């Protein structure tokens, strides 16, 4: 074939090589977490964990398309719904990940229902909050409360305790209810319970606890309030912390504080150890709980999308609901009919050197 002498170089390449196939359009997924200057540290580890999860899924891609996670700045708690709505309407995301606290996650759950798209969150929430399109890979409050009550009466052999509940938190109340129900099952158990809603009420509650002369306190509230709770107990008396996962900005250093968590790096958990090594080599710091849960949340969502075979909200929702014994970082993960996670739970505390130590592992019932 003779080519015209006037043919441009670009057209010449076209004739000789043919039309190059355009790369597939990325598949966008939205990730909501706090990224204002005050809260950026909490979101940072989750963002880094998602880098690893996306690199892994893009080896084979989803729907023949590379995954890209969109991570817009959220400049205040009231902007979460509007930022998520913009991701859906403008960026055309069909799926959401959320790495934030219970209050903001609850708002996103309602948005997921409105748009009928799957949301996988890291924060454990009470069952009614999650349905019908939201799922949580974080510890269910009821699972947490039950496990810590068993730790109190079994491992710690305490039958006389106080339960202090901050009524401002959804997770606090649900976990405290489960704790009370389980604790009272023990023969001879005596539990006194008080609630508070601000710092002044907490002071009054602490005084009542001191007068009650209990050997153990179950505290359903913020870690930042633990010093006030310690005032009502002997320095070596155990405190069981109920509520949301430990905030990396408020580390719990008291060696006599026991808490439940979904993630711990332990030699008995090879996937967690491998993730810890990979994360540390990449980002020069050890992974925290938000990082591990964000990684699990992304992998769970990717698995639901892969099984659905089409990016359709109700189809992905159904596949997530049917997910059984998915291999999370710490063991098999499934969802119950109310979309709460069923996964191994770990009771931990810090030793005198500040290192997290595993007290016991509780497999899901």
């Amino acid at each position: 074939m003779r080519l015209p002498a006037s043919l441009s170089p670009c057209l010449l390449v076209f004739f000789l090589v043919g039309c190059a196939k355009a790369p597939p359009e990325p598949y966008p997924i939205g990730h909501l977490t706090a990224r204002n200057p005050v809260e950026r540290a909490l979101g940072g580890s989750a963002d880094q964990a998602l880098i690893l999860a996306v690199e892994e899924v893009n080896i084979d891609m989803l729907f023949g398309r590379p995954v890209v996670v969109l991570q817009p700045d959220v400049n205040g708690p009231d902007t979460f719904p509007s930022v998520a709505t913009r991701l859906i309407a403008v960026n055309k995301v069909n799926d959401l990940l959320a790495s934030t606290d219970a209050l903001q996650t609850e708002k996103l759950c309602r948005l997921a229902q409105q748009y009928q798209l799957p949301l996988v969150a890291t924060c454990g929430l009470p069952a009614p909050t999650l349905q019908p399109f939201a799922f949580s890979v974080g510890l269910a409050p009821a699972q947490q409360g039950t496990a810590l009550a068993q730790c109190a009466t079994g491992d710690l052999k305490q039958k006389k305790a106080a339960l202090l509940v901050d009524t401002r938190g959804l997770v606090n109340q649900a976990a405290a209810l489960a704790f009370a129900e389980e604790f009272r099952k023990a023969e001879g158990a005596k539990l006194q319970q008080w609630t508070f809603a601000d710092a002044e009420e907490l002071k009054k509650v602490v005084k009542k606890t001191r007068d009650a002369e209990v050997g153990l306190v179950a505290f359903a509230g913020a870690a930042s309030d633990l010093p006030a709770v310690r005032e009502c107990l002997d320095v070596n008396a155990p405190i069981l912390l109920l509520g949301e996962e430990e905030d990396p900005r408020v580390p719990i250093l008291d060696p006599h504080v026991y808490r439940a968590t979904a993630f711990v790096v332990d030699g008995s958990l090879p996937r967690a150890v491998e993730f810890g090594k990979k994360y540390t080599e990449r980002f020069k710091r050890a992974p925290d709980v938000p990082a591990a849960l964000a990684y699990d949340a992304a992998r769970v969502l990717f698995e639901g999308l892969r099984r659905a075979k089409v990016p359709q909200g109700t189809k992905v929702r159904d596949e997530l609901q049917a997910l059984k014994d998915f291999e999370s970082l710490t063991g098999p993960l499934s969802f119950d009919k109310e979309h709460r996670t069923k996964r191994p739970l770990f009771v931990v505390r810090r030793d005198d050197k500040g290192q997290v130590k595993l007290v016991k592992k509780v497999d899901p019932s």
Side-chain angles (χ1 to χ4, degrees):
M1 174 180 175
R2 185 176 180 182
L3 299 174
S6 61
L7 195 64
S8 71
C10 288
L11 289 177
L12 180 61
V13 172
F14 177 82
F15 271 94
L16 295 178
V17 180
C19 181
K21 185 178 181 180
E25 183 180 355
Y27 183 79
I29 292 173
H31 177 222
L32 281 302
T33 189
R35 290 191 187 83
N36 61 41
V38 176
E39 299 176 304
R40 191 176 298 275
L42 181 60
S45 63
D47 291 342
Q48 290 172 339
L50 290 181
I51 291 174
L52 300 180
V54 169
E55 288 176 350
E56 292 170 9
V57 75
N58 279 341
I59 293 174
D60 298 318
M61 299 192 289
L62 283 175
F63 316 120
R65 299 163 62 181
V67 171
V68 60
V69 175
L70 306 181
Q71 300 173 316
D73 283 337
V74 180
N75 296 312
D78 296 332
T79 64
F80 270 88
S82 61
V83 171
T85 300
R86 187 164 62 249
L87 283 171
I88 297 167
V90 177
N91 301 105
K92 307 302 180 183
V93 304
N94 295 311
D95 322 277
L96 293 172
L97 296 166
S99 305
T100 185
D101 62 25
L103 180 60
Q104 304 310 325
T105 301
E106 182 189 21
K107 296 177 183 178
L108 295 174
C109 289
R110 294 197 294 266
L111 192 74
Q113 179 179 355
Q114 176 185 343
Y115 285 94
Q116 296 193 342
L117 53 79
L119 163 70
V120 182
T122 61
C123 179
L125 288 173
T129 308
L130 291 166
Q131 298 185 80
F133 280 88
F135 296 79
S136 171
V137 298
L139 293 180
Q143 181 189 12
Q144 179 193 142
T146 298
L148 287 176
Q150 292 170 350
C151 178
T153 58
D155 302 83
L156 299 176
K157 295 180 172 53
Q158 294 285 341
K159 298 295 180 68
K160 186 177 181 182
L163 174 60
L164 313 184
V165 186
D166 187 340
T167 57
R168 292 169 292 184
L170 289 172
V171 176
N172 300 340
Q173 296 178 66
L177 177 61
F179 178 91
E181 291 179 349
E182 186 67 22
F183 187 89
R184 290 187 172 114
K185 292 178 182 178
E187 184 178 355
K190 295 181 179 180
L191 181 68
Q192 300 185 66
Q193 183 172 341
W194 293 283
T195 62
F196 65 95
D198 56 40
E200 287 304 314
E201 288 186 356
L202 176 58
K203 291 179 182 178
K204 297 176 182 178
V205 165
V206 166
K207 185 179 184 302
K208 292 179 181 178
T209 306
R210 186 185 299 115
D211 295 341
E213 297 182 348
V214 296
L216 174 148
V217 167
F219 183 66
S224 57
D225 289 326
L226 283 174
V229 179
R230 174 56 70 194
E231 291 180 5
C232 69
L233 287 170
D234 178 85
V235 68
N236 294 321
I239 298 175
L240 305 184
L241 180 62
L242 302 159
E244 297 187 44
E245 285 272 11
E246 181 181 6
D247 185 338
R249 298 166 299 178
V250 189
I252 302 166
L253 301 179
D254 187 332
H256 302 291
V257 171
Y258 296 75
R259 60 185 177 86
T261 182
F263 176 73
V264 64
V265 177
D266 184 78
S268 64
L269 304 167
R271 286 180 178 270
V273 171
E274 180 184 356
F275 173 73
K277 181 179 178 181
K278 186 175 182 179
Y279 185 97
T280 302
E281 288 178 349
R282 182 70 171 271
F283 303 112
K284 311 306 178 188
R285 60 169 174 161
D288 53 21
V289 176
L293 290 179
Y295 182 80
D296 273 347
R299 292 177 59 247
V300 164
L301 177 58
F302 297 158
E303 183 65 16
L305 289 164
R306 188 178 287 113
R307 295 187 181 195
K309 299 180 180 178
V310 291
Q312 202 274 331
T314 54
K315 179 65 174 175
V316 178
R317 184 268 315 272
D318 293 345
E319 292 297 337
L320 288 172
Q321 176 68 75
L323 201 63
K324 300 297 180 187
D325 295 333
F326 176 80
E327 278 301 322
S328 75
L329 289 176
T330 57
L333 180 154
S334 305
F335 296 108
D336 66 15
K337 64 181 181 180
E338 295 175 316
H339 298 187
R340 295 172 299 186
T341 188
K342 297 167 64 179
R343 64 180 303 161
L345 173 150
F346 306 90
V347 177
V348 299
R349 68 177 186 87
R350 292 188 186 271
D351 62 18
D352 294 335
K353 297 180 180 179
Q355 299 299 309
V356 175
K357 295 298 180 183
L358 176 62
V359 176
K360 64 183 299 186
K361 175 186 177 183
V362 181
D363 290 317
S365 57

